[in-house]
Amino acid sequence: MRVRDPKLVAALPELGALLEPGTSLAELTSLGIGGTTDLLRITKHDAIPELLNLLDAESVPYKFLGGGSNLLVGDGELPWLVLQLVSPDPDIVLEGRFAQVDAAADLGRTVTFCAKNDLGGMEGLIGVPGTVGGALRMNAGAYGMQIGSYVRQVKLYRAARRRLETLEGDQISFEYRHTSFAPDDMMLAVKLELPSKPYPEILKGIRICNEKRRASQPLGQKSAGCIFKNPPGASAGRMIDELGLKGLSVGDARVSDRHANFFVNAGKASAKDMLALTADVRARVEKSFGIILEHEVVVWNA
Ligand code: EPU
């Protein structure tokens, strides 16, 4: 999708939106897959409702991109504009046990920054790539913790009401890899309340989680983390492994040899390859286990 209307292009700077024409989404996603579109980088939260009203008035479809680490984007020329927040400086402000964090802040850096200030709880999230906003929307979790447990307040663009809102933690439900946010709500900032812990103790926890992750996940390769959700009471990775599917490929899309629920881009995989591989694995799991796996990765397919 290319923004060509001169009136729209001229209105963008005042709304704090920077246009980057012809951006490759393959370069903005950890899978390294995705076609091309115009990117709008947003620097002013307060101007978002006006900006989106303008895009709607001009019938320009759009999607919100976080850190691109849990995302599988379609190939070719993409039919929507992509909007991404630019993080302010500083993007994390601490006040006692509370951390006010911009949605565009890097998750790993947030975990370590809080840790260095004796605020723990998020040790399990170390090594989870992406932004705080993305982690919030998906309720990212690992090693027995999930980010939702620490959320006290969220500032967001509420798409249904077309306005910025602040929600208290108890107005939001956080479940396994799912939240009560609507798919078109845009996370802007979050206030976390974290347990006080001495830094060396947090560091110990971080090291243990890092170790476990390194031992079981293909960290150096292009992936979107786990591709399927774990069905209740079962492990997608174990089932795929039991079927002997590690190494199964379609083009350069490949089931990781290290963790069977990680599908990697081993070269120049297309979205078509990756989706053919997920469909094949899903069909085999259903046939053998009678369980239909659900994508954990968010799919933006035209
Ligand atoms: N297993 C196998 N073969 C494999 C992979 C796993 O037999 O190829 C077995 C393991 O030995 C273990 C069980 O399956 O007994 C579970 O595996 P693991 O501990 O790696 O955890 P997981 O359930 O596969 C979940 C999350 C991960 C998170 C880890 C650690 C989901 C879909 N996955 O993985 O999150 O890092 O626990 O807490 O919830 C993600 O969300 O993208 C993600 C990677």
Side-chain angles (χ1 to χ4, degrees):
M1 159 67 70
R2 301 305 161 110
V3 179
R4 293 223 171 82
D5 178 1
K7 215 176 70 205
L8 179 55
V9 173
L12 295 175
E14 194 141 317
L15 296 170
L18 315 169
L19 181 64
E20 293 185 11
T23 300
S24 162
L25 271 278
E27 279 162 32
L28 296 181
T29 55
S30 57
L31 256 177
I33 293 178
T36 304
T37 188
D38 283 358
L39 175 74
L40 264 190
R41 307 197 77 220
I42 297 176
T43 62
K44 281 190 205 167
H45 286 179
D46 291 348
I48 290 173
E50 200 181 333
L51 173 67
L52 299 186
N53 282 341
L54 186 65
L55 295 179
D56 289 340
E58 301 294 325
S59 304
V60 177
Y62 50 83
K63 289 186 181 287
F64 303 122
L65 174 69
S69 59
N70 192 41
L71 189 61
L72 171 54
V73 184
D75 305 310
E77 184 64 32
L78 303 167
W80 7 262
L81 192 65
V82 168
L83 276 48
Q84 191 178 37
L85 293 176
V86 174
S87 77
D89 186 21
D91 53 5
I92 311 168
V93 176
L94 301 182
E95 215 185 296
R97 291 177 49 211
F98 294 98
Q100 183 71 38
V101 191
D102 190 85
D106 179 75
L107 180 63
R109 213 174 47 75
T110 303
V111 174
T112 47
F113 182 86
C114 292
K116 283 178 186 163
N117 287 279
D118 301 318
L119 294 174
M122 297 194 288
E123 293 85 337
L125 290 177
I126 202 74
V128 174
T131 60
V132 167
L136 186 63
R137 139 165 312 289
M138 289 294 296
N139 190 21
Y143 305 115
M145 63 78 52
Q146 51 180 32
I147 193 167
S149 316
Y150 302 109
V151 172
R152 295 297 169 261
Q153 214 173 53
V154 174
K155 183 182 167 199
L156 74 166
Y157 169 75
R158 253 314 209 205
R161 301 202 179 122
R162 314 189 64 79
R163 64 178 193 209
L164 304 185
E165 286 185 10
T166 299
L167 298 180
E168 299 303 316
D170 58 11
Q171 294 176 277
I172 308 161
S173 79
F174 291 98
E175 292 149 48
Y176 167 66
R177 300 296 193 272
H178 185 263
T179 60
S180 50
F181 300 119
D184 49 0
D185 286 343
M186 185 184 203
M187 307 296 110
L188 299 177
V190 61
K191 186 179 190 179
L192 302 168
E193 184 180 4
L194 300 166
S196 296
K197 266 195 213 175
Y199 178 49
E201 202 180 303
I202 304 173
L203 200 57
K204 224 190 265 171
I206 284 178
R207 289 206 172 117
I208 292 170
C209 294
N210 262 335
E211 205 55 40
K212 285 191 193 161
R213 208 178 279 283
R214 256 199 302 273
S216 64
Q217 300 181 359
L219 300 188
Q221 287 179 282
K222 289 183 187 168
S223 83
C226 285
I227 203 102
F228 295 114
K229 290 184 186 179
N230 283 337
S235 159
R238 185 183 293 145
M239 287 190 286
I240 300 168
D241 193 0
E242 275 176 17
L243 293 177
L245 302 181
K246 280 181 170 170
L248 184 74
S249 311
V250 175
D252 280 338
R254 181 181 167 92
V255 179
S256 160
D257 294 312
R258 177 160 286 205
H259 193 301
N261 197 17
F262 277 64
F263 288 19
V264 301
N265 173 7
K268 289 192 159 72
S270 63
K272 202 165 157 246
D273 296 334
M274 194 54 84
L275 287 168
L277 185 63
T278 64
D280 185 11
V281 169
R282 181 194 266 144
R284 294 186 199 219
V285 168
E286 187 184 358
K287 192 163 168 235
S288 302
F289 295 95
I291 290 175
I292 301 175
L293 293 176
E294 213 183 297
H295 277 147
E296 198 261 353
V297 66
V298 175
V299 180
W300 287 0
N301 211 7

